Amino acid sequence: MTLLDHVPAAPAGAAGDGGRALVRALHALVRAEAGAEAQAAGVEAADLEQSVWLKLLERRPGPGVPADPARWVRAVVRAEARVARRRIRRERAYTAGESPGDWAGCPERIAVGADERRALRTAVGRLPGRCPRLLEAMLAPHDPTYREIAGELGMSQGSLGPMRSRCLGCLRRMLAAEVVAPELRGMER
């Protein structure tokens, strides 16, 4: 399908051919102007060309033909290129670890985070032996060192690592048992 297929046919008895001649006449000029301005604007020539044709179609409710079509095409291509340059200056690509949107201040994310922390603290409280005290100390907001935790719990600093590992394994198993398995989707056998 070509651009000429998108121009409406002239009604019977109407003067001209419904703009097809205008499209044929301007097609090469629009393509050349868009190609010349696209690289400087940082966009693809086809995108720039498409926006120019859109401007022409938006302008067509009246007589449709600009007084000086070549000047109009040049002006519209340059205006669309300026818009594209401004947009590119404002937009920036996401970095590798960055998520789209600011989720830190999102009320939904705050509520979900508080719910997750509450569930974690509840699960930590149900752990056996000295695990609840150890993990509560490690989850403390002031971020204590192993030396501070060992002094608080009255145990050697060297035994904190292995005990933390056992407690976290127990916590993982406990939380995995509480999580509901997702339902099967699609065709089941």
Side-chain angles (χ1 to χ4, degrees), residues 86-134:
R86 275 190 232 117
R87 184 177 55 243
I88 287 172
R89 275 196 303 262
R90 283 190 314 261
E91 294 175 352
R92 62 180 181 81
Y94 291 121
T95 58
E98 186 181 15
S99 65
D102 181 19
W103 287 97
C106 174
E108 180 181 0
R109 183 68 200 139
I110 292 170
V112 168
D115 195 31
E116 288 172 350
R117 285 188 298 277
R118 195 175 312 113
L120 177 65
R121 296 224 183 249
T122 302
V124 165
R126 293 191 322 253
L127 288 172
R130 296 194 295 185
C131 288
R133 287 187 58 211
L134 173 66

Side-chain angles (χ1 to χ4, degrees), residues 183-189:
E183 293 181 18
L184 294 174
R185 292 184 178 186
M187 296 177 57
E188 296 179 27
R189 292 182 182 226

